[in-house]
Amino acid sequence: MTGGMRGGESPRATDRRIRGLRPPKREVDPWKPLDFLVEPERWPDGSQAPTLAVFLAGAECPFTCVFCDLWRFTLDGPTPPGALPEQLREALVQWRANGGRPGPRTRIKLYNASNFFDPRAVPPEDLPELARQVEPFPHVTVENHPRLTDERCRDFQQRLAGRLEVALGLETIHPQALSRLNKRITLEDFDRAAERLMDWDCDLRVFVLVGAPFIPADERLEWTVATVEHALAQGARRIALNPVRYGNGELERLASTGELAPTAPSLTDLEDAFDAALALPRARHAVVVADLWDIEKFALCPVCAEARIERLHKLNLSGLPASGDPEPRIDCVRCDGR
C-alpha cells in the first residue's frame, strides 16, 4: 500500500514529512483529563439520552493520516501505566460533583485521540480498572483503528457490565483517496473490522470525512454519501460526518499543490452531505449526525451562519421527521446559502 506517498516516497518518509509540517503540540499532562462534556445524543428510535464524553491524554496514534488534527492533544511518548484510570477517576468525580448520574441509557465515551486498543496508548494492565470505573454505564464507546480491531476489543467487551461501541474511521471509500490518506487501510480492512465487531456483539460507530483530499471537487458529495451508505451496509448504527479541518500543515501543502481545495469545506458542503445522508433508506434505522465542533470556522456568511448552524443542531437531535422531508434550508439574501 502506498499510503500518502509522492512518487517513490516511502511510508516512513511520508510520516516524517507530515510530522515535520505540523505546528507545535499543546502541553498535555498525562495525569489530568483533557476535558469532559455532557451532551444529548439521538438514538435510532428517535429518542434522546445523555452522553458523557471524557477526553483522555495518551500516546499519539502510530498512523500519520494526512488530515489528522488529534495529535495536538497527545503525549510524545507512551502513556504511563495508571495514568488513564487516574484521568477517568478525576473526570467522573467532577461530573458527579456537577450532578451527573448514569441513567438506563447513559453512554460514556472514552476518547483518547488515538486508538483504545493500541497498548502504547492504553496500557493493557489498565483495562480492568477502566472497565471497573465505567461499570455504572450501560453503554461505553471507544475509538480505534480498523487494523487494531482484534481480540482485544472482544476481551474488553467481556469485561464490561454494559455494551461496547467501537468508533472506526472509514473516511472515504474512494479507492485512490483512501490509499493516499496515509491511514494505511483498505476497504477490506474496514469491512473485516466491522464484521468482527458484529460477531462479538459490539456496536459500530463510523467517522466519514466531508471534503476529503484527493477527490475531485465535483465528486466529493457523491463519494461522501456513498461512504455513508457503505458504513450503514456494514452495520454502523451511528455515523458522524466530519468536515476536514485545516491547520496541520500537510493539508495546507496539499492545497498549494491543487490536490485539495484551497480552503476548508464550507458550511454548505456539510449541509449538502448531511441532507443527502439523512435521505438514505438505511439511515432511517441508524443515527447520522454532523460533527459541529468548531463549526463556526466553516461559516462564511455572518448573516445566516447562526440560523444554519442551529438547523444542523436540530437535525442532529431529531433526524428526519416521519414525513421524510428534512427541515428546510435557510434562505439568505446575502449569500444565497453558499
Side-chain angles (χ1 to χ4, degrees):
M1 174 173 285
T2 60
M5 295 182 197
R6 294 184 299 171
E9 187 176 59
S10 71
R12 286 189 178 181
T14 299
D15 290 350
R16 286 195 298 269
R17 171 173 51 76
I18 293 172
R19 291 171 185 267
L21 292 171
R22 291 172 172 175
K25 281 185 179 181
R26 61 175 278 186
E27 190 171 332
V28 172
D29 184 344
W31 300 96
K32 299 285 185 183
L34 296 168
D35 201 0
F36 73 92
L37 60 86
V38 180
E39 58 185 356
E41 275 199 328
R42 177 165 52 92
W43 283 66
D45 64 5
S47 64
Q48 297 177 23
T51 291
L52 169 63
V54 181
F55 301 98
L56 303 168
E60 184 178 330
C61 175
F63 302 94
T64 311
C65 299
V66 302
F67 58 87
C68 182
D69 61 354
L70 296 178
W71 52 271
R72 296 178 297 161
F73 309 103
T74 60
L75 306 174
D76 288 329
T79 306
L84 295 182
E86 175 58 24
Q87 291 181 47
L88 180 57
R89 185 200 64 79
E90 181 173 323
L92 291 175
V93 166
Q94 294 182 38
W95 175 64
R96 292 188 179 105
N98 291 327
R101 295 293 183 272
R105 300 184 80 178
T106 304
R107 177 181 302 279
I108 185 169
K109 296 179 183 175
L110 305 181
Y111 280 177
N112 62 329
S114 183
N115 305 294
F116 197 81
F117 299 107
D118 174 0
R120 192 169 178 272
V122 179
E125 59 265 41
D126 287 346
L127 291 172
E129 175 59 17
L130 292 170
R132 188 196 67 78
Q133 290 191 39
V134 300
E135 186 174 329
F137 295 88
H139 300 276
V140 180
T141 300
V142 300
E143 55 188 342
N144 203 49
H145 190 279
R147 283 176 53 190
L148 299 179
T149 304
D150 53 26
E151 286 73 14
R152 289 170 291 191
C153 300
R154 179 200 61 197
D155 295 345
F156 188 65
Q157 155 83 320
Q158 292 173 350
R159 292 182 185 275
L160 294 176
R163 185 174 181 85
L164 179 64
E165 177 185 69
V166 180
L168 303 178
L170 172 56
E171 321 309 352
T172 180
I173 63 169
H174 186 286
Q176 287 76 38
L178 180 59
S179 71
R180 297 183 66 190
L181 291 179
N182 208 40
K183 194 178 181 76
R184 298 183 187 168
I185 64 166
T186 64
L187 190 57
E188 290 72 23
D189 290 327
F190 174 85
D191 291 351
R192 189 178 306 114
E195 183 178 7
R196 286 174 174 172
L197 293 175
M198 299 301 107
D199 289 345
W200 297 330
D201 199 28
C202 299
D203 291 332
L204 172 62
R205 183 184 296 242
V206 175
F207 301 127
V208 173
L209 291 178
V210 175
F214 314 117
I215 300 177
D218 60 351
E219 297 179 19
R220 284 180 187 147
L221 176 59
E222 175 187 352
W223 280 103
T224 300
V225 176
T227 303
V228 172
E229 197 161 25
H230 185 86
L232 291 168
Q234 296 304 308
R237 300 191 67 196
R238 290 175 175 80
I239 297 174
L241 299 175
N242 297 344
V244 170
R245 293 174 169 87
Y246 283 43
N248 70 351
E250 176 65 6
L251 291 181
E252 284 74 12
R253 185 193 71 81
L254 290 172
S256 72
T257 66
E259 294 179 287
L260 186 62
T263 58
S266 69
L267 195 57
T268 301
D269 294 327
L270 182 58
E271 289 172 316
D272 289 345
F274 194 18
D275 287 347
L278 285 175
L280 293 171
R282 279 198 176 103
R284 302 302 297 266
H285 308 289
V287 174
V288 180
V289 299
D291 178 10
L292 301 183
W293 180 68
D294 265 1
I295 191 61
E296 292 78 12
K297 294 181 179 179
F298 299 91
L300 304 178
C301 177
V303 173
C304 63
E306 184 176 351
R308 291 167 68 186
I309 292 171
E310 179 59 26
R311 173 183 178 270
L312 294 176
H313 276 291
K314 288 180 179 178
L315 282 173
N316 274 352
L317 292 177
S318 66
L320 288 182
S323 66
D325 298 322
E327 185 165 326
R329 297 276 280 264
I330 304 300
D331 292 326
C332 180
V333 294
R334 173 170 176 169
C335 73
D336 197 27
R338 289 192 293 272

